[in-house]
Amino acid sequence: MDPGLWKDFFLWESGRTVYALCRSGWQVEPTLCLEVVSVGIPVTRWVGARPKPTSCALRILSPWIRLNRISLDVTMVKELLRYGEIPWSAPGQEGYVLLELGRRVLGCGLLLPGRIRSQIPAGEIPDPELLHHELSGAVTTNS
Amino acid sequence: MRENLLELEGTESLLAREFFNRYADLIPDYEGFLNSLKLKIPTCIRINTLLAEPEDITRKLQAQGVHLMPTVLGREFCEAPGLDSPGRHPLYCMGAIYPQALSSGIPALVLDPKPGELVLDLCASPGSKTTQMAAMMWNQGRIVANEPALHRHPALVANLRRLGVANTVVTGYPGQSFPMKLRFHRILVDAPCSGEGNARMGPGGELLGTGPRRGDLHRVQTQLLLRAFDLLEEDGVLVYSTCSLDPMENEAVVDQLLRSREAKVLPIQLDMPHDPGVTSWAGRLMAEELAHAWRIYPHRLKTVGFFLAKISRR
C-alpha cells in the first residue's frame, strides 16, 4: 500500500489502537472542541511488536492494497472460520494478509509457515453456511 | 376524547382502529390506511456504496433467487422480496448491504449532505441515516454522530465500522445541550418519538408494534429542534423527522420553532408519494408553511409512517 495514502487521514493512537479519520482538506480537525467517544475507524492494533490491520480498515483500503492478498474459496473459508486456521502451501510473505472471497474482503489473516490463521473477529461472519450461498447461488429466501 | 384515548394506550386489548381514530379526519383515505396496517412491509435494503456497487449486489442476490426491485429512493434502495433475515446475510456482515425502511432513507436524501461539509446527526443511533449520509458524502467532510444514550453507542459504532465509515466522530451529549462550539452546514434531527408510524394491525384488529408513550415527547422534541437550529450555519439546512403520525410530535414541534426563531420551512424537491403537513390540529392553528412538510403514510408508500420537515434560517 502506498504510504502516501495516509496523508488523507488524521491518525490517532489510543492504547494499542490507531484510528483514522478522513482529513477532507482540514489542517486541524474541526471537532477537536468536542468530547468525542469514538473517532473514525480503527486501522491497526499493536499485537506484540507488530501492527495488525483491522478487518474494517482492510475493507476500506482494499483498492489500494497491492501485496499480501490471499483469495480463498468457500470451502477454505468455512474451514478457516470453523477451525481458526487452515493449511496453506502457496508461497507468500509471512505476516498479516488480506483475505478475500471472490471480490469481497473477508478481513485479516496471519500467514504462518504452512498455514493461515484467521484474525477475523469472532461472530463477524456469524453463519459460515450462508457463505456457501454467497457464491453458489443457492436460494436464501423465505418465499 | 383525547384523554380517553390516552387511557386506552398501553392496554392489551387496544385495537388499531381505536388507537388511530383520532387521526380519522387527518389521514386521507383513512380506511385505506387502516387496511395497509394489516400488510407486511416489504423488506428493503440499502446498498452501501462505500463498499459495494449496486449492480454487483443486484447480480449477486439475483443468483441467490432474490430479485431486487427498484424504489423511488434511487438505485441504492431496493425492495428485496423474500430475502430472509438480511441482518444475517454475509453481504450485511461485510458491510455491503443494510436493512433500512424506505421512509427512514428519505431524511438524508432531503438533507442532501455534500462531500466536505460539516454535518450533525443529533440523535444518531443505530446509525442508519449516519451511514447513509457518509455514503452520500463519499466518506469526505465530517459527520458528528451524537447519541446521548451510552448503551446505544456500541450498535452505532459497530454499524459505522462495518459499513466502512471513516468521516464520522461519535459524541454523547444530551441533544438539548449540545455545545455551541461549532456551526454545521447540515443537521439531521431524527427525534425520539412515539414510533406510531411503525404500528401494524394483527389478525384480530389489535394494535401491534407501538406502545404507551414515554414522557413529554413534544417538549423534548421541541428542545432538540431549537438547539439544532441554533447550531446551524447561516446558510445551513436542517431536517426534522420522526416515525410518528401525531401532529403534536411533528407539525406542532416545528410550529414552536417558527414562533421562537427566525426559521422557515422549505419545500422538499423530491418526487415520491407524500401528503402535506397539517396546519391545524386539536383547535390549534399552525403556520401555513407547514404544508411544505411531508407526511408519509403506509398506504401511499409501502413503508412505515413518517414525518419530515426541511428547515433553514429565514
Side-chain angles (χ1 to χ4, degrees), chain B residues 112-245:
Chain B
D112 195 20
K114 301 286 194 301
E117 289 185 329
L118 194 52
V119 176
L120 173 62
D121 187 351
L122 198 59
C123 316
S125 191
S128 310
K129 299 169 188 72
T130 315
T131 53
Q132 181 189 356
M133 290 193 292
M136 293 172 73
M137 297 165 72
W138 293 108
N139 248 343
Q140 297 299 308
R142 184 70 70 249
I143 301 175
V144 177
N146 184 69
E147 173 51 56
L150 295 182
H151 71 277
R152 303 188 75 190
H153 281 189
L156 171 61
V157 170
N159 280 330
L160 293 173
R161 291 180 181 172
R162 194 182 63 259
L163 274 71
V165 173
N167 71 340
T168 297
V169 300
V170 176
T171 58
Y173 296 104
Q176 304 92 319
S177 54
F178 192 93
M180 298 289 299
K181 295 176 177 175
L182 280 175
R183 292 293 183 276
F184 294 87
H185 300 110
R186 317 262 169 176
I187 300 179
L188 176 61
V189 184
D190 187 44
C193 69
S194 61
E196 284 177 3
N198 295 302
R200 312 307 297 162
M201 191 190 295
E206 68 274 25
L207 180 71
L208 305 172
T210 190
R213 288 156 194 274
R214 292 164 298 171
D216 186 350
L217 286 168
H218 172 80
R219 185 176 59 84
V220 172
Q221 290 157 343
T222 303
Q223 289 173 342
L224 288 169
L225 183 55
L226 288 171
R227 175 51 64 113
F229 185 81
D230 293 341
L231 287 162
L232 201 59
E233 283 273 16
E234 278 303 313
D235 57 350
V237 175
L238 185 160
V239 168
Y240 174 80
S241 64
T242 73
C243 56
S244 171
L245 303 175

Side-chain angles (χ1 to χ4, degrees), chain A:
Chain A
M1 193 166 66
D2 179 1
L5 180 67
W6 296 110
K7 75 178 187 331
D8 293 331
F9 292 90
F10 293 113
L11 296 173
W12 280 273
E13 187 163 10
S14 175
R16 302 181 70 79
T17 304
V18 175
Y19 297 86
L21 185 65
C22 76
R23 186 181 281 273
S24 290
W26 283 301
Q27 293 305 307
V28 179
E29 167 56 28
T31 64
L32 281 180
C33 56
L34 301 176
E35 284 183 34
V36 168
V37 295
S38 173
V39 56
I41 56 161
V43 285
T44 61
R45 292 201 172 85
W46 288 96
V47 178
R50 282 179 172 177
K52 180 179 84 67
T54 64
S55 294
C56 61
L58 289 177
R59 286 190 196 119
I60 294 179
L61 301 174
S62 168
W64 293 277
I65 297 173
R66 297 185 299 268
L67 302 174
N68 305 322
R69 304 178 74 114
I70 292 182
S71 189
L72 304 175
D73 64 27
V74 172
T75 306
M76 290 171 179
V77 174
K78 289 168 74 173
E79 295 286 297
L80 186 68
L81 294 175
R82 184 172 181 187
Y83 299 110
E85 62 179 43
I86 53 172
W88 187 257
S89 56
Q93 185 182 345
E94 285 179 31
Y96 293 111
V97 293
L98 181 155
L99 300 177
E100 55 192 340
L101 171 67
R103 290 168 57 193
R104 300 258 161 259
V105 176
L106 288 170
C108 184
L110 178 61
L111 183 60
L112 297 166
R115 60 205 162 109
I116 298 171
R117 183 177 294 167
S118 172
Q119 304 291 300
I120 300 168
E124 183 150 303
I125 300 175
D127 190 347
E129 196 58 39
L130 279 172
L131 282 170
H132 181 65
H133 302 310
E134 161 77 356
L135 284 188
S136 69
V139 174
T140 57
T141 68
N142 60 1
S143 59

Side-chain angles (χ1 to χ4, degrees), chain B residues 274-296:
Chain B
H274 69 277
D275 285 278
V278 299
T279 54
S280 67
W281 173 249
R284 173 180 177 156
L285 283 177
M286 296 183 282
E288 289 296 320
E289 61 191 288
L290 282 162
H292 291 320
W294 276 21
R295 297 186 142 255
I296 308 285

Side-chain angles (χ1 to χ4, degrees), chain B residues 242-259:
Chain B
T242 73
C243 56
S244 171
L245 303 175
D246 186 348
M248 287 307 292
E249 298 184 57
N250 297 326
E251 288 90 345
V253 172
V254 180
D255 190 59
Q256 195 62 48
L257 172 75
L258 298 175
R259 291 168 192 266

